[in-house]
Amino acid sequence: MDVRITVETTFENGRKRSHQLGHFSRPFRQAQPESFGLLLEDARTLLRQLQQAMLLDQIEEISEAGRSCPACNKVRAIHDYRPRVLDTLFGRFRVRVPRIRGCGCTAKPEAISGGPHTLLGHLFPDRATPELRRLQAELGSRHSFREAARIMETFLPCATQMNTTVRNRLGRIAKELSDREQSVPAVDDGAHIRCRPEYQKRHLDLVVGKIESPDMSRRFGLAQQAVRSPANELRQDLCALGWDDHRPVTVISDGEPALSNLVRRAVRGPVRHILDWWHISMRVQHVANAVNGLLQAENFPGMPELFKRPSETLRWCLWHGKIMTAGTRLQCLMIDCSRLSKEDTMVRAAAARVWARCRELYTYLANNWDALTNYGWWHRNGFPISSSRAEGCVDDIGNARMGKRRRMRWSPKGAHRVAVTRAAVLDGRLTVAHRKLAA
């Protein structure tokens, strides 16, 4: 069996042109399982030939149409022809493009000043198609730059990919995303990634989060050391998403003041800060476990009800916003533990653990007193009460690409670029953004 593939191009003026792309032979007497259908290498060759045929015809048609002056429709002269390199997903091509002279009918400068210009240079300033740049950025945000280059070379007939090219183009796209559309966290958290040694730091702080509204949900990533004013960037993003100074902003975090202060500086006003319920619940669970260990200690002399009842009702009080009652029960439990200081060694050690857990929870609640609320009411009305969504962003944006297990060290600018691009990729905003840029 012989297969011949022919492509016919029809231009707008009715002219037609045919291209012989490929010839594949599949003798049935030599049939092998590896030779059935279209092979990967055959597909790569075919796609490269098809891309070259379409690209040359399209450049010819656009260059011919671009010779007409937009002001007087006079055909402009061709100054000369220059070779240009265009990088695409299906190969790197060296094309011959005409440079068109300016028309003398108008004194206004051309779209590209400086004399003769090419339309190809105006459409592709980076000498690469937007689709290639988007795929390089997406794979670079999901894998290491070297692995992203290897994946593209394996499955696509593109030119040899360099890890530095993938990194640089990801950086340019991250800058475009930062200038046009980012998201602002309503639920935020932090991640720590390894820093390169020349920056005299062991770790970099990466702020990640998620904004949630009735009709929107977006991830967010930001390295504060890489931008001049993170608060101004957040404010610009809020305004781009339709926020105004009269709409309240709610931040849910684990109590880290830097995260809420960042949003507060961006809003330039008060921000509703809610302490994450999951962190409260885990500390309450630590108290309950310590109390159970005390009750199971040998020679326990006290009454179990004095210790068990406060730990059981502590979570209920915090869930329903009875903060003063919860603080009183914690203090009473600490006093009861202090009364066991004269008992035997095992009881004293168990009572000390209960006292330490109660003190830790009491200090945590006291430091975040203004961020405590009626969690039951918020939950019943459908509002978020936990930063688990932001914890997921830490894994998706920070740990999955820049985690400690990958043994990579980052500069602030590189970490910021990857975080911005990866958030856009996970939200599906990268393709939309570059469609707008190409329009």
Side-chain angles (χ1 to χ4, degrees):
M1 181 181 72
D2 290 337
V3 179
R4 295 182 182 274
I5 301 175
T6 304
V7 174
E8 184 179 82
T9 303
T10 302
F11 298 92
E12 287 192 4
N13 57 9
R15 186 166 55 93
K16 295 184 179 181
R17 180 180 297 170
S18 298
H19 301 273
Q20 297 291 334
L21 294 188
H23 173 219
F24 306 104
S25 178
R26 297 290 188 270
F28 74 93
R29 293 184 179 87
Q30 303 176 6
Q32 298 292 333
E34 294 84 2
S35 63
F36 271 75
L38 190 65
L39 305 181
L40 177 61
E41 191 61 34
D42 297 337
R44 285 158 54 95
T45 303
L46 181 61
L47 286 173
R48 180 179 177 84
Q49 294 175 350
L50 178 61
Q51 178 77 313
Q52 184 175 12
M54 291 182 61
L55 190 63
L56 293 177
D57 290 346
Q58 196 171 10
I59 290 175
E60 179 183 342
E61 186 177 34
I62 292 176
S63 299
E64 187 66 26
R67 293 183 60 186
S68 298
C69 177
C72 64
N73 292 328
K74 183 179 178 181
V75 178
R76 294 176 289 184
I78 296 178
H79 183 75
D80 59 5
Y81 287 86
R82 292 290 180 90
R84 289 289 185 270
V85 175
L86 184 60
D87 207 1
T88 71
L89 276 176
F90 307 110
R92 180 176 295 166
F93 302 96
R94 190 178 183 87
V95 296
R96 190 166 173 263
V97 182
R99 289 200 304 165
I100 303 173
R101 293 180 179 177
C103 184
C105 67
T106 177
K108 295 182 179 179
E110 297 290 334
I112 300 178
S113 60
H117 66 276
T118 62
L119 296 177
L120 197 64
H122 177 63
L123 292 173
F124 306 103
D126 198 23
R127 299 190 179 185
T129 58
E131 189 178 23
L132 174 64
R133 299 175 64 225
R134 184 197 65 81
L135 186 60
Q136 287 174 329
E138 179 171 351
L139 292 178
S141 66
R142 294 182 182 273
H143 310 278
S144 66
F145 300 133
R146 199 176 301 276
E147 180 68 10
R150 188 193 67 82
I151 291 175
M152 294 186 64
E153 290 182 2
T154 301
F155 297 102
L156 294 172
C158 56
T160 302
Q161 298 292 303
M162 302 296 294
N163 60 314
T164 53
T165 304
V166 176
R167 180 195 64 195
N168 294 338
R169 285 182 175 163
L170 181 143
R172 296 190 191 101
I173 289 178
K175 185 178 184 302
E176 294 169 359
L177 290 170
S178 300
D179 294 340
R180 285 166 174 83
E181 52 170 348
Q182 279 186 359
S183 56
V184 182
V187 183
D188 54 12
D189 209 327
H192 301 285
I193 58 176
R194 296 179 185 270
C195 183
R196 288 169 55 179
E198 60 264 30
Y199 290 92
Q200 303 294 324
K201 291 183 179 181
R202 186 174 182 181
H203 294 99
L204 291 174
D205 295 328
L206 191 68
V207 179
V208 299
K210 198 172 186 180
I211 181 172
E212 292 186 349
S213 63
D215 56 350
M216 183 181 300
S217 176
R218 286 188 177 184
R219 295 174 179 87
F220 172 82
L222 170 68
Q224 297 193 55
Q225 297 91 339
V227 292
R228 294 182 178 179
S229 177
N232 289 339
E233 287 201 0
L234 294 183
R235 183 174 179 83
Q236 293 175 4
D237 296 332
L238 277 170
C239 296
L241 293 173
W243 174 83
D244 54 40
D245 294 334
H246 303 290
R247 295 178 59 184
V249 176
T250 301
V251 179
I252 302 177
S253 71
D254 58 356
E256 176 63 34
L259 302 178
S260 58
N261 291 337
L262 176 62
V263 182
R264 189 174 291 108
R265 290 195 302 270
V267 175
R268 299 174 185 174
V271 173
R272 178 71 181 272
H273 183 207
I274 295 179
L275 190 62
D276 172 37
W277 170 253
W278 184 83
H279 287 83
I280 297 176
S281 180
M282 290 303 299
R283 284 172 169 78
V284 173
Q285 186 62 40
H286 293 164
V287 173
N289 294 339
V291 170
N292 291 334
L294 175 62
L295 298 179
Q296 294 174 5
E298 295 182 2
N299 302 323
F300 176 69
M303 299 178 62
E305 289 77 8
L306 294 178
F307 293 89
K308 192 173 183 179
R309 187 175 300 169
S311 62
E312 290 178 348
T313 58
L314 191 58
R315 181 179 282 104
W316 184 92
C317 293
L318 293 173
W319 176 260
H320 291 281
K322 301 181 181 301
I323 312 302
M324 298 296 295
T325 304
T328 302
R329 291 185 180 277
L330 279 173
Q331 290 179 341
C332 293
L333 191 58
M334 294 167 62
I335 293 173
D336 292 336
C337 291
S338 301
R339 294 173 179 174
L340 300 176
S341 59
K342 297 182 180 180
E343 302 297 330
D344 57 11
T345 305
M346 295 186 62
V347 175
R348 288 202 311 270
R353 282 194 295 270
V354 175
W355 189 92
R357 296 291 183 269
C358 292
R359 185 64 183 178
E360 178 184 358
L361 177 58
Y362 187 85
T363 303
Y364 183 69
L365 297 177
N367 291 338
N368 299 277
W369 192 267
D370 296 335
L372 299 174
T373 186
N374 190 336
Y375 293 94
W377 182 90
W378 276 72
H379 180 69
R380 289 190 298 271
N381 287 272
F383 297 110
I385 59 174
S386 174
S387 63
S388 58
R389 298 170 177 83
E391 297 287 347
C393 292
V394 173
D395 294 333
D396 294 339
I397 298 176
N399 296 336
R401 179 63 178 88
M402 297 174 280
K404 298 178 181 178
R405 293 184 179 180
R406 288 184 173 266
R407 300 180 180 178
M408 294 181 292
R409 295 184 179 272
W410 297 85
S411 66
K413 183 181 295 184
H416 177 73
R417 289 173 173 177
V418 172
V420 170
T421 308
R422 186 169 177 83
V425 168
L426 294 174
D427 287 341
R429 293 185 283 116
L430 186 60
T431 303
V432 177
H434 283 79
R435 282 177 182 171
K436 294 180 180 178
L437 293 177

